[in-house]
Amino acid sequence: MKWQATPSASLTLNTQLPTAPFDSIFPCAPTARDCLPQPGVVDPQQYLDILSYRQRPTFRLAYRNFKGLRALVTSQSVEATPGVAGERWYEIRRTGESYSLYQQGTYAPADGVHRWMGSIAMDKRGDMGLGYSVVNATTVYPGIRYTGRLASDPLGQMTLGEGRSSTARVSKRPPNSRWGDYTDNDGRPGRRLHVSGT
């Protein structure tokens, strides 16, 4: 890249990394932003926006440089099971000039709770933390939870159970369907930050 009076840049596709099948299109109605029901909310126009119609990770690609390899982690909101949102995550590794999808998974315990709008990070040991928003139609008001895994755990699994960072006592109401537009997880124990765009 050249950052001078006449800047120029070129981008070249390095490689494509095939993933396991997943569904990033969540069924929403009446618009593409009215998706996730909330307790006590009967008007679908007041459901929360999952943002999965964008079909991409919802935040950054977090980077770690280990001696001999580089690791990148990211996550996105998907339809994990019919009508239930889950948080899909990936670890990409670069060794020398080669990239590979080292591991991937979808975090969605079978409890009917939607998990979406996540962020993921890795610490210097290779342990990971995954934070995300939660809600369901009956008992779970919009809130924030987290899970994680140790570097020594089986690949593709978040093994450390689920913790709660914050829980609302009311549903999010108009003027719009937005909740938790931005999340951040910097990979240091006890240092997760969640900023809501409501």
Side-chain angles (χ1 to χ4, degrees):
M1 286 197 194
K2 217 167 64 170
W3 304 103
Q4 296 174 353
T6 55
S8 65
S10 64
L11 299 173
T12 304
L13 176 64
N14 183 294
T15 189
Q16 291 183 311
L17 302 174
T19 67
F22 65 91
D23 187 356
S24 66
I25 305 293
F26 195 86
C28 303
T31 76
R33 294 186 171 231
D34 307 310
C35 308
L36 305 177
Q38 309 177 67
V41 174
V42 295
D43 181 357
Q45 294 183 39
Q46 294 178 8
Y47 287 1
L48 299 178
D49 189 350
I50 189 175
L51 291 175
S52 68
Y53 62 90
R54 295 181 178 178
Q55 299 186 354
R56 61 175 170 78
T58 48
F59 194 56
R60 65 179 181 163
L61 184 67
Y63 171 82
R64 276 280 175 190
N65 189 345
F66 298 101
K67 291 180 180 176
L69 76 91
R70 294 167 178 85
L72 304 102
V73 293
T74 191
S75 65
Q76 70 183 100
S77 304
V78 299
E79 185 180 23
T81 59
V84 179
E87 197 58 23
R88 183 151 183 77
W89 59 275
Y90 312 89
E91 180 184 355
I92 299 164
R93 288 194 173 182
R94 178 181 171 189
T95 305
E97 296 302 314
S98 298
Y99 290 87
S100 63
L101 185 55
Y102 181 68
Q103 62 176 321
Q104 60 186 306
T106 300
Y107 188 73
D111 56 7
V113 175
H114 299 285
R115 291 165 176 85
W116 89 106
M117 200 61 65
S119 62
I120 189 168
M122 177 184 285
D123 68 13
K124 64 184 179 182
R125 294 179 300 274
D127 303 337
M128 287 187 222
L130 174 65
Y132 41 85
S133 295
V134 293
V135 75
N136 75 6
T138 55
T139 58
V140 179
Y141 291 98
I144 303 165
R145 296 184 188 176
Y146 58 89
T147 187
R149 58 171 281 112
L150 302 176
S152 58
D153 288 339
L155 295 179
Q157 297 178 33
M158 289 289 165
T159 58
L160 299 181
E162 185 171 68
R164 296 176 187 214
S165 178
S166 69
T167 303
R169 294 188 176 141
V170 296
S171 292
K172 162 61 170 95
R173 298 293 180 165
N176 58 42
S177 301
R178 304 307 285 274
W179 159 265
D181 285 10
Y182 310 100
T183 71
D184 189 12
N185 186 334
D186 72 3
R188 290 178 283 173
R191 294 293 301 267
R192 182 170 190 281
L193 169 68
H194 181 101
V195 181
S196 171
T198 58

